[in-house]
Amino acid sequence: MEQDKILYYVDSIHYPESERNDRRIDNNDTVQVSLLNVNKAGEPNDVVVSVPVGQLSFENGRRIANNNFVYYSANHQVPFENGNKDPRALELINRSSKLRATLREKYQNQSIELPAAVQLDNSRITSYHINVGHGNCSVILIESGRFYQIWMVDCGTAYYVRGPHLENIDDCFDDIAKRLGVNKGKLHISLFMLTHLHSDHYNGIEMLFNRGYCNGGTSFFINLDYAVAAPTYIRILELIENNGCIISSPIRNVVTDNGKQPMPMIIFPDRKVYKNYSPSIQLPYYVEQNTNNASVVYIVAGNGKRMMFPGDMEKKELDTITKSGNCTPFLNGVNYYCVSHHASISGHLDRKCLDPGRHPYSICRECCKDNLDRAIVMGRDGAFSGIYNQTVINDFAQVIAYSEKDDIGNPVKCLILDWASNTCSYLY
């Protein structure tokens, strides 16, 4: 192997986006490929490479996909070569498979039990949406008398952009400690909810363990069935196992045996989700190779308000959760919507409503525009082609708020949303 070739893990592939549903991808179109450096863990050597679609194949014609390993040439003359048989790649795949199997077996009969001291209906709720460059990172502070809990949805950082993103997370916890009047060292996350397995949604979890925010008292919702062999993800699973954290695969839970609504609500998926088919898989399940569309949709509710986290779910799957039994009453009652897929057109709620019987709206975005208190955009404008999409921004314009800037465009460390007053403030 030539010295200028480095082994990378393919985290995600960003195809050009179009507002036309009939738009076809041409071999001359440019795609952006997010590559995670396998050689130097913990160093900022991850890259985004722009190449024509026609070069997105190995020599045998097989199309490069997420979760592949590739050699990337620093001289750009040979963009990609197959690295899936590299001993380092095979070792990572094996470690991931064994870890996920061990954790599934260990916790298959255990459910996540949250402390009963905090009742969300009678709690003060404040959510922090942190500027992590291009990525999602939300902290939910629940206060009930002298008791409190901290929940978190995703924690990704911009792996290819330098900036104070980890420091922004630390500063957020500083603010929480001041609000509570406690030492920051005593704060810990009770529940972590991961939407899906792209690095810009999970790669900050390692830092949470290193800082002590995650520990043996943290429970995790993570899809253990979905095969991902990224080095950072494997280290996170090892931290979860070594700390004795409970981990559960998130499956739809909107109705319980006693008729009570569980919290958080998981409204999608309604069965196990795998990346690839295997004859050993037991029903019910489905296979979804697009990692974005394997996103879990969480709803956190309390004090008469609901916040929805759809991760990076795209239109195909967003359609399925607007069908009868999902939209009403779950989606139709959302006050705060964390806009899917970093405000790109591929994740926009702009389809014909499939459940219009109990409200006057025929298009999802019309319902959202009239009923939302806030539409929260997380990410970095211009991070990839189509982010942010102007149609999405215009559709949510009257209620939009950003994690990276305030309402007059000044950069911020995080957006802070008070659920009781519906007011936004910022940490600078």
Side-chain angles (χ1 to χ4, degrees):
M1 183 57 55
E2 298 174 19
Q3 292 299 311
D4 64 350
K5 292 178 183 175
I6 300 173
L7 182 66
Y8 287 94
Y9 171 85
V10 181
D11 180 59
S12 57
I13 300 173
H14 304 262
Y15 287 89
E17 296 195 341
S18 171
E19 301 194 31
R20 288 173 46 197
N21 292 328
D22 60 349
R23 169 75 158 86
R24 301 180 70 88
I25 303 298
D26 185 85
N27 275 347
N28 293 322
D29 286 334
T30 298
V31 294
Q32 295 165 292
V33 186
S34 299
L35 301 174
L36 308 183
N37 193 327
V38 170
N39 298 345
K40 298 180 180 179
E43 295 185 22
N45 291 298
D46 306 322
V47 296
V48 174
V49 180
S50 297
V51 297
V53 171
Q55 293 185 20
L56 203 62
S57 299
F58 295 135
E59 290 180 357
N60 62 3
R62 178 187 168 193
R63 179 66 62 86
I64 294 168
N66 296 345
N67 210 33
N68 280 177
F69 290 87
V70 299
Y71 300 111
Y72 171 63
S73 175
N75 63 20
H76 296 212
Q77 292 179 3
V78 182
F80 300 111
E81 291 182 25
N82 194 335
N84 288 320
K85 300 300 182 182
D86 187 292
R88 293 165 295 176
L90 295 173
E91 193 249 342
L92 288 169
I93 293 168
N94 185 51
R95 280 170 61 194
S96 173
S97 179
K98 285 185 175 180
L99 266 170
R100 290 183 292 107
T102 297
L103 289 166
R104 279 198 307 268
E105 182 177 1
K106 185 176 181 179
Y107 294 113
Q108 62 180 340
N109 295 319
Q110 278 192 262
S111 59
I112 292 177
E113 299 291 339
L114 296 169
V118 175
Q119 300 296 323
L120 272 74
D121 285 342
N122 301 311
S123 298
R124 176 184 177 183
I125 302 178
T126 309
S127 57
Y128 292 73
H129 307 277
I130 305 173
N131 177 4
V132 287
H134 179 71
N136 277 28
C137 184
S138 296
V139 178
I140 301 167
L141 173 62
I142 305 162
E143 300 174 74
S144 180
R146 62 188 182 88
F147 297 102
Y148 68 88
Q149 283 192 57
I150 297 173
W151 294 1
M152 199 160 186
V153 182
D154 290 341
C155 184
T157 64
Y159 45 83
Y160 56 90
V161 179
R162 294 184 182 275
H165 306 125
L166 294 180
E167 290 85 347
N168 288 350
I169 297 172
D170 251 341
D171 290 340
C172 165
F173 278 92
D174 278 331
D175 191 77
I176 291 173
K178 291 176 184 176
R179 282 174 182 254
L180 296 174
V182 301
N183 186 297
K184 187 173 74 167
K186 294 184 178 181
L187 297 180
H188 89 279
I189 298 162
S190 300
L191 176 65
F192 189 98
M193 296 165 269
L194 183 63
T195 58
H196 67 295
L197 290 163
H198 275 152
S199 183
D200 61 322
H201 289 252
Y202 69 74
N203 68 1
I205 300 175
E206 194 171 15
M207 170 268 209
L208 298 177
F209 275 102
N210 293 338
R211 299 283 207 278
Y213 303 130
C214 285
N215 53 34
T218 306
S219 297
F220 286 83
F221 278 122
I222 297 177
N223 184 354
L224 291 171
D225 298 304
Y226 209 76
V228 168
T232 303
Y233 179 58
I234 291 170
R235 293 197 300 272
I236 290 166
L237 291 182
E238 289 172 341
L239 285 166
I240 289 172
E241 182 184 33
N242 293 339
N243 281 272
C245 303
I246 293 176
I247 186 169
S248 178
S249 289
I251 303 291
R252 179 179 163 92
N253 66 352
V254 295
V255 178
T256 60
D257 292 338
N258 61 12
K260 291 185 177 180
Q261 178 58 61
M263 194 51 55
M265 280 187 269
I266 300 168
I267 63 170
F268 188 87
D270 62 354
R271 70 198 81 173
K272 291 186 175 184
V273 185
Y274 293 82
K275 187 172 183 61
N276 298 295
Y277 171 76
S278 168
S280 64
I281 298 176
Q282 295 182 348
L283 292 172
Y285 74 92
Y286 75 95
V287 174
E288 177 55 73
Q289 293 189 339
N290 182 344
T291 306
N292 286 343
N293 281 334
S295 291
V296 181
V297 179
Y298 299 98
I299 290 180
V300 175
N303 213 4
K305 303 291 176 62
R306 292 185 175 192
M307 178 174 281
M308 175 178 166
F309 298 89
D312 282 355
M313 185 171 282
E314 299 180 8
K315 291 180 180 180
K316 183 189 83 169
E317 295 301 339
L318 282 170
D319 271 359
T320 69
I321 63 171
T322 61
K323 290 181 180 178
S324 181
N326 288 284
C327 184
T328 305
F330 303 114
L331 302 191
N332 194 36
V334 166
N335 304 89
Y336 306 122
Y337 175 60
C338 296
V339 180
S340 185
H341 204 192
H342 315 284
S344 65
I345 196 67
S346 66
H348 194 30
L349 284 166
D350 65 348
R351 296 296 185 90
K352 180 179 178 180
C353 182
L354 300 177
D355 187 24
R358 280 172 274 186
H359 57 75
Y361 305 99
S362 60
I363 303 296
C364 291
R365 66 170 179 265
E366 295 299 326
C367 179
C368 290
K369 285 168 68 173
D370 282 0
N371 291 290
L372 285 176
D373 292 314
R374 289 288 178 181
I376 299 166
V377 173
M378 289 180 278
R380 182 173 66 88
D381 196 8
F384 293 99
S385 174
I387 296 174
Y388 308 136
N389 177 273
Q390 197 57 50
T391 295
V392 179
I393 300 303
N394 291 345
D395 280 348
F396 291 123
Q398 60 190 10
V399 294
I400 206 161
Y402 299 89
S403 65
E404 67 165 340
K405 59 186 178 182
D406 63 18
D407 55 3
I408 58 173
N410 295 316
V412 300
K413 294 179 179 179
C414 75
L415 159 71
I416 305 171
L417 176 61
D418 185 311
W419 289 27
S421 63
N422 288 327
T423 56
C424 291
S425 59
Y426 299 91
L427 200 60
Y428 293 92

